[in-house]
């Protein structure tokens, strides 16, 4: 289904078009703004002062999809001081009072006035690869920011590639998305965030418009666009997911127990560094999946759950991954399309991107989805939903038999900031709550809570994985939880190999029975049983405090506007410690 252009969406009353959309639309329709293809943006990007052309070939199928010439090579764009997302730079137009709106509108008009003194380009893309969920988007930028336009087109799908399919789609009650990026914007106004440089991400989710001012980092364009796509999906009653999901088919397995499981889908929700991509993209769960299985991946970062039709739908044909675990010579480099904030190295006379965060933190790459092996544009409804937590009081895996507890734990997902974000050193050390691991939510939390309650009520089962380490003797003295152990647990969940016992400290939660988990992870109980921790009194105090923090967080959120819903979640978070 297709979104609607402004003249179509607002045709019954054009005065209903919000000012921010009108400002963006006026800029888009300026005949001096040159429309470019991915190939044209690529050629323009090669002349940018902050872009280096390497000798690493762009993955040939991706180059062909984007209309690039044979032998096109990966471009590396280095952004300067800021190499991550700046959440504090966001301003939400729909939450402003009239005085604040007038100020921001006038500042924005001035910014666009300055932007129009530069040669401008624009490009069109389609977000979504399932014919039942497609949205048209337009980006406008200065010509000397062509690399972000190219990366944006590569991250999504150039309009021409799916134009015929899109034209035949039924109309959605959603306006097209408009994205404006102006890197040269600057201001001394203390109203706007300045950490490494003045930046503004101005969002009007009702109008499907975002402005990125003073923001060079490509992740701002990508996630800003996805923010509007996720929100559009929510309007269509589909849960917005910042997570990864894959579907495993066991029907070809020789093992009768595995074969009987048929197809099973599992989704993972977490911020960068929590293992979301590792769990989603692992080929065989560290060798623990039984022989004969097949796997397809929808995506490792963004999708939408349609509870009504019991399917999940993808937004992007690429991955935007960190390269910190990819040394030179790693097989993943053959799938590269573009890189950001990487060092360079010379090997055998060729200049190549250098990963492993040698130059700076949060080096990134756009990677073709072929890296995943088999992939799909829609997959089955998730059987299992896993919250990836950084709470040292939680064992490696917890099952939530109570649906309200499952949602409450997702709504108060505890994690830590990371180097993918432009935050202070102090903030990196602090435990924070990020509901459903989605820092890009721009609508009320209660809407996400209702959406995920629908998911669990439709049959999904909730779990948490501890991705930081479990209490050994204190919050700092931890038992490590190797990735291999977590992958083994994932396979055990998919195959329903574990038996569960109620956790006495948290009603509605369950832990693996020792006799079942020891078959797959010998020694698990001795390492991770909450009843065996050292300094148990201190552990219980910390556990109580963590859940108290969760309750307070939800009570201070907009859930107070839905008191019955709030009470369901708060009551589910009561511990017996």
């Amino acid at each position: 289904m297709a979104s609607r252009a402004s003249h179509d969406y607002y045709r019954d009353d054009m005065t209903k078009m919000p000012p921010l959309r009108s400002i963006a639309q006026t800029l888009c329709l300026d005949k001096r703004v040159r429309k470019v293809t991915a190939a044209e943006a690529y050629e323009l990007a090669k002349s940018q002062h902050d872009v280096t052309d390497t000798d690493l070939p762009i993955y040939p199928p991706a180059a062909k999809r984007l209309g690039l010439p044979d032998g096109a090579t990966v471009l590396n764009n280095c952004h300067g001081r800021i190499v991550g997302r700046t959440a504090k730079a966001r301003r939400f137009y729909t939450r402003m009072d009239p005085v604040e709106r007038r100020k921001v509108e006038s500042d924005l008009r001035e910014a666009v006035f300055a932007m129009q003194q530069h040669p401008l380009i624009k490009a069109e893309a389609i977000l979504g690869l399932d014919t039942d969920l497609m949205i048209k988007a337009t980006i406008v930028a200065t010509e000397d920011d062509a690399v972000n336009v190219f990366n944006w087109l590569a991250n999504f799908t150039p309009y021409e590639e799916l134009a015929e399919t899109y034209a035949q789609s039924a109309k959605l009650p959603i306006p097209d998305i408009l994205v404006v990026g102006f890197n040269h914007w600057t201001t001394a106004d203390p109203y706007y965030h300045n950490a490494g440089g003045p930046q503004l991400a101005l969002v009007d989710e009702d109008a499907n418009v975002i402005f990125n001012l003073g923001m060079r980092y490509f992740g701002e364009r990508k996630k800003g666009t996805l923010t509007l796509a996720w929100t559009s999906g929510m309007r269509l009653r589909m849960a917005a997911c910042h997570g990864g999901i894959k579907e495993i088919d066991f029907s070809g397995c020789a093992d009768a127990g595995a074969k009987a499981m048929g197809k099973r889908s599992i989704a993972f929700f977490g911020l960068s560094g929590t293992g979301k991509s590792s769990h989603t993209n692992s080929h065989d769960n560290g060798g623990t999946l039984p022989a004969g299985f097949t796997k397809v991946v929808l995506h490792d970062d963004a999708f939408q759950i349609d509870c009504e039709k019991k399917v999940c739908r993808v937004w992007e044909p690429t991955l935007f991954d960190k390269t910190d675990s990819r040394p030179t010579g790693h097989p993943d480099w053959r799938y590269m399309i573009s890189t950001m904030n990487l060092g360079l190295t010379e090997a055998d006379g060729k200049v190549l991107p250098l990963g492993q965060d040698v130059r700076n933190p949060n080096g990134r790459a756009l990677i073709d989805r072929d890296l995943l092996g088999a992939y799909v544009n829609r997959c089955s409804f998730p059987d299992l939903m896993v919250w990836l937590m950084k709470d040292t009081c939680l064992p490696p895996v917890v099952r939530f038999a109570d649906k309200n507890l499952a949602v409450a734990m997702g709504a108060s997902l505890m994690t830590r900031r990371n180097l993918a974000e432009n935050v202070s050193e102090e903030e990196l050390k602090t435990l924070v709550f990020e509901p459903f691991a989605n820092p890009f939510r721009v609508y009320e939390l209660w809407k996400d809570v209702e959406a995920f309650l629908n998911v669990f009520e439709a049959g999904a089962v909730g779990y948490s994985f501890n991705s930081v380490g479990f209490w050994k003797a204190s919050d700092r003295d931890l038992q490590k939880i190797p990735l291999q152990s977590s992958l083994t647990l994932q396979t055990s969940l998919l195959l329903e190999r574990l038996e569960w016992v109620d956790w006495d400290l948290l009603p509605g939660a369950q832990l693996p029975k020792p006799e079942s988990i020891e078959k797959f992870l010998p020694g698990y109980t001795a390492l991770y049983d909450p009843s065996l921790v050292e300094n148990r009194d201190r552990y219980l105090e910390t556990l109580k405090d963590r859940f108290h923090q969760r309750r307070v967080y939800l009570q201070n959120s907009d859930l107070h506007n839905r008191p019955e819903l709030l009470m369901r979640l708060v009551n589910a978070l009561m511990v017996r410690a």
Side-chain angles (χ1 to χ4, degrees), residues 209-391:
V209 174
I210 186 166
F211 291 83
N212 285 162
L213 305 183
M215 300 179 129
R216 304 170 194 153
Y217 178 58
F218 171 68
E220 301 287 4
R221 306 289 191 277
K222 170 193 164 71
K223 293 299 190 182
T225 306
L226 273 176
T227 291
L228 300 178
W230 273 316
T231 305
S232 297
M234 283 291 291
R235 291 187 202 170
L236 301 171
R237 301 173 64 85
M238 301 182 198
C241 300
H242 180 224
I245 184 168
K246 63 183 177 183
E247 181 180 282
I248 310 292
D249 187 353
F250 296 105
S251 59
C253 295
D255 180 86
K259 184 182 182 73
M261 299 307 300
K263 289 183 178 180
R264 303 267 285 164
S265 290
I266 185 167
F268 297 92
F269 297 77
L271 297 185
S272 295
T274 58
K276 176 177 47 141
S277 293
S278 297
H279 275 285
T280 305
N281 299 342
S282 176
H283 170 64
D284 59 1
N285 286 357
T288 63
L289 287 172
F293 81 92
T294 58
K295 179 197 79 169
V296 293
V297 176
L298 186 74
H299 204 267
D300 72 349
D301 187 62
F303 62 99
Q304 218 85 16
I305 301 176
D306 185 337
C307 287
E308 182 179 339
K309 296 186 178 179
K310 299 294 286 279
V311 298
C312 300
R313 299 189 171 92
V314 72
W315 287 113
E316 308 160 289
T318 56
L319 311 175
F320 182 52
D321 278 4
K322 295 173 71 173
T323 57
D324 56 337
S325 61
R326 293 179 168 102
T328 301
H330 193 285
D332 289 1
W333 288 105
R334 70 181 291 256
Y335 298 101
M336 297 295 161
I337 300 172
S338 181
T339 62
M340 285 137 265
N341 298 307
L342 298 193
L344 298 177
T345 189
E346 187 173 25
D348 299 325
K350 294 184 176 181
V351 175
L352 302 175
L354 179 63
Q356 300 179 284
D357 284 359
V358 174
R359 182 182 185 270
N360 47 258
N362 199 40
R364 292 267 174 171
L366 280 173
I367 309 174
D368 194 274
R369 251 198 316 174
D370 279 356
L371 170 72
L372 304 175
Y375 59 81
V376 289
N377 295 328
R378 73 160 71 182
C379 74
S380 59
F381 186 84
D383 298 292
L384 305 97
M385 302 270 287
V386 181
W387 312 128
L388 299 169
M389 301 273 195
K390 289 195 174 181
D391 183 347

Side-chain angles (χ1 to χ4, degrees), residues 375-419:
Y375 59 81
V376 289
N377 295 328
R378 73 160 71 182
C379 74
S380 59
F381 186 84
D383 298 292
L384 305 97
M385 302 270 287
V386 181
W387 312 128
L388 299 169
M389 301 273 195
K390 289 195 174 181
D391 183 347
T392 60
C393 291
L394 297 179
V397 61
V398 180
R399 183 180 188 271
F400 303 116
D402 180 347
K403 295 178 176 59
N404 291 320
L405 178 58
V407 175
M409 292 296 283
S412 60
L413 190 143
M414 187 173 278
T415 188
R416 293 182 191 271
R417 296 296 178 208
N418 59 82
L419 291 172

Side-chain angles (χ1 to χ4, degrees), residues 39 76 183 267 462:
N76 183 49
N183 293 348

Side-chain angles (χ1 to χ4, degrees), residues 397 399 463 465 488-501 511-521 524:
V397 61
R399 183 180 188 271
Y463 299 84
F465 278 7
T488 302
L489 287 170
Q490 183 196 146
T491 296
S492 298
L493 298 184
L494 285 164
L495 292 171
E496 295 187 349
R497 287 174 170 169
L498 298 178
E499 297 177 38
W500 301 89
V501 61
L511 303 179
K513 282 187 176 180
E515 55 268 30
S516 70
I517 190 67
E518 293 291 333
K519 295 176 184 177
F520 309 105
L521 288 172
Y524 179 95

